[in-house]
Amino acid sequence: MAIASITEFFQEIARDLHTSFYLAIGGTLEEETRDWSSRAADLASTGIKIIILLALVGFLYWLTIYILKHNQERLRLSERRLKITRSVLRYIWIVLSIIAVMSQTSVEPGTVKATAKASTWAGIYFVLWTTSGHVIHKVLEHYGLNASIEQLLKNVLSVLIIVLGMASVMAQFGFDIVSLVAGLGIAGLAVGFAAQSTLANFIAGITILMEQSFQVGDWISIGDKEGRVVLISLRTTHVLTRDNITIIVPNSNVASSEVINLTSKNFIRFDIRIRIAFEADIDAARAVILKVLEETNNVLARPETSATIDEIGEYGIFFKVRFWVTPAAVARMPKMKEGILENVKKALDAADIAIPYPHMRLLMPKDVDYPIPTKPFETTTHIATNKGNSD
């Protein structure tokens, strides 16, 4: 009994597969007898037609590419334009191949027509999406606007093109775009409440790009992080440090933090501290320090450098040395300071100007006789008092 049930189960599966395959090659359920030979002939005929159409479309694609490649100079096509043209032709070739296959199969004519229209709209929006960045760059370059605004416009335009492209493609298959947009609006509100941090970063990114407090290429300091701005997107700001490490900072953090733009002006001042001994000649030391700065690359002659007394401390006299550099030298500032300090040390040594180290000097009266210890580790304590004469 069990074996018969299992056999009947597998027979039922075989019949279903047999029917499905027959329907796939063009047969119908209404036929009393299944004519496999005629179905096979129809299938072979359809396959031959599809192969002929695909070969014809492929030949036209190859011929067009051949003509463009061998007439590139005559048509004045640059490498970039030729690449774009080949991409468009390749897309047309793929779309025509799909439509050719659909037209020879059991796909309804309405679906084939909708696919052709949708593919056309998708191709148009794809071309707009790929060329929009170049167009925006040329327009902003003509009007002298910076790269930050360019990045903002590229992002906004890309989103608009993608949304409009999807709407146009879906409209060809009968989707109600108005209802879809309304549904997306309601869903957008729900997503907005669920992704408040992302929206905050987005709004902060637009604010940063519009205010232009700093731009791509500027050297900035955010908290304890410092580096060159390499990208300002709608969600994050990318900063490249001196260690070649990219720090990705959310725009909301950037907008709420104190940002120091080190390269917003034509030149920037830095300072270092140098210590000399109390007995050293201040003017001679100043001349040595200024001479080192004069011979240092990337240190500007105007505005003038300076070396002034900043502090008279416990262990020496401190100079504050101020010098100016261009924005291009900011990235190398730690190395520059190290080089200046090293060269100043060598120059002071050559001029016999001492650089003291922390020490303590004990001054003892000469007219006081101190007992000499006679036993190992014996110590004596002597308290000297000075008595003044009273009038």
Side-chain angles (χ1 to χ4, degrees), residues 25-40:
I25 61 175
T28 59
L29 294 174
E30 289 78 11
E31 297 180 10
E32 296 181 0
T33 59
R34 295 177 179 177
D35 190 355
W36 286 96
S37 59
S38 62
R39 294 281 74 79

Side-chain angles (χ1 to χ4, degrees), residues 239-268:
V239 179
L240 184 66
T241 67
R242 291 187 178 91
D243 300 325
N244 201 32
I245 298 174
T246 301
I247 301 175
I248 302 174
V249 186
N251 285 332
S252 58
N253 293 354
V254 177
S256 60
S257 301
E258 179 181 289
V259 179
I260 301 174
N261 190 343
L262 300 176
T263 54
S264 59
K265 304 300 180 181
N266 295 330
F267 39 82
I268 310 101

Side-chain angles (χ1 to χ4, degrees), residues 296-317:
T296 302
N297 294 331
N298 299 316
V299 173
L300 300 177
R302 292 287 184 275
E304 294 183 353
T305 57
S306 64
T308 57
I309 300 299
D310 181 54
E311 179 187 353
I312 300 178
E314 277 186 75
Y315 307 114
I317 300 174

Side-chain angles (χ1 to χ4, degrees), residues 45-56 97 100-105:
S45 176
T46 302
I48 293 172
K49 292 179 182 178
I50 291 174
I51 293 173
I52 293 174
L53 289 175
L54 292 178
L56 180 61
S97 300
V101 173
M102 294 176 65
S103 63
Q104 298 302 318
T105 55

Side-chain angles (χ1 to χ4, degrees), residues 302-347:
R302 292 287 184 275
E304 294 183 353
T305 57
S306 64
T308 57
I309 300 299
D310 181 54
E311 179 187 353
I312 300 178
E314 277 186 75
Y315 307 114
I317 300 174
F318 290 85
F319 277 98
K320 174 167 282 190
V321 181
R322 299 180 177 90
F323 57 93
W324 301 78
V325 298
T326 59
V330 173
R332 301 189 299 274
M333 187 47 56
K335 188 174 181 180
M336 282 185 61
K337 287 184 176 181
E338 293 166 1
I340 291 173
L341 289 173
E342 181 178 343
N343 293 333
V344 167
K345 173 64 169 61
K346 293 178 180 178

